[in-house]
Amino acid sequence: PTIYNSMAQPRDYERVIGYSYVLVMTCCIMVSTSGYYMFGSTVSDQVTLSLERAPIDAESAMKVLTWLMVVTSLSKFTLYLFPLALGVEEIIAPYVSTDQVMELSFMVIKLGCIMVALFVGICIPSFAFLCSVIGLICTVTVSVIFPAAAHLKLFGPHLKCWEKCVDYLFVLGGLAVAIFGTIATVGSFNE
């Protein structure tokens, strides 16, 4: 919705989304093809986990990859944190009487969200688990659920019935993949 509102020509939104999907799909195909080319049938589900076996300085590659994951997470952190903090602030706002207390409570909410994220980050020591969970949840949310939900929200009244069904199918399918994939990932690392 924010992208749609800030576009110079909002009528091109659907075309831009289509191009975005093609670009992301092309990048995913290139990475998967490269992983298969480098490691053959022994490639891990997460290509990044196969780097330990690569004919390169594996330790340096893993350090670079870890820092790239951290930078990616930090750059996306505000995208995920802001709506959550805003939602909590809207729930609390009617119960706060003064502007000073409101500003203090908003600060505590944002710091609380950051502390919870930090706690989760510290409690998940496995790089493989981190890659799996971040890859699964973020990719499904950003690539499947959000675009379909935004399409429904923006164009819902003007969409044909079959288009709405397809969007709902993407949202529900994405949720199912995220939930069951997360359960499977957590289960596989608890063994």
Side-chain angles (χ1 to χ4, degrees), residues 71-83:
V71 169
T72 300
S73 298
L74 288 176
S75 66
K76 293 181 181 179
F77 189 69
T78 55
L79 292 174
Y80 294 120
L81 179 66
F82 183 73

Side-chain angles (χ1 to χ4, degrees), residues 47-115:
V47 175
T48 53
L49 299 178
S50 298
L51 286 178
E52 294 174 340
R53 299 188 314 264
I56 56 173
D57 182 13
E59 185 177 330
S60 298
M62 292 306 287
K63 284 182 183 179
V64 169
L65 184 61
T66 301
W67 280 107
L68 286 173
M69 293 284 294
V70 168
V71 169
T72 300
S73 298
L74 288 176
S75 66
K76 293 181 181 179
F77 189 69
T78 55
L79 292 174
Y80 294 120
L81 179 66
F82 183 73
L84 174 66
L86 189 61
V88 174
E89 289 170 3
E90 288 177 2
I91 292 170
I92 292 176
Y95 303 106
V96 179
S97 56
T98 65
D99 288 341
Q100 290 176 336
V101 174
M102 189 176 297
E103 286 183 30
L104 180 64
S105 64
F106 291 171
M107 184 175 58
V108 168
I109 289 167
K110 289 174 183 151
L111 285 173
C113 289
I114 291 170
M115 296 306 285

Side-chain angles (χ1 to χ4, degrees), residues 166-189:
V166 169
D167 283 341
Y168 281 119
L169 185 66
F170 274 113
V171 170
L172 294 175
L175 285 172
V177 167
I179 291 168
F180 293 120
T182 303
I183 291 170
T185 300
V186 170
S188 70
F189 280 97

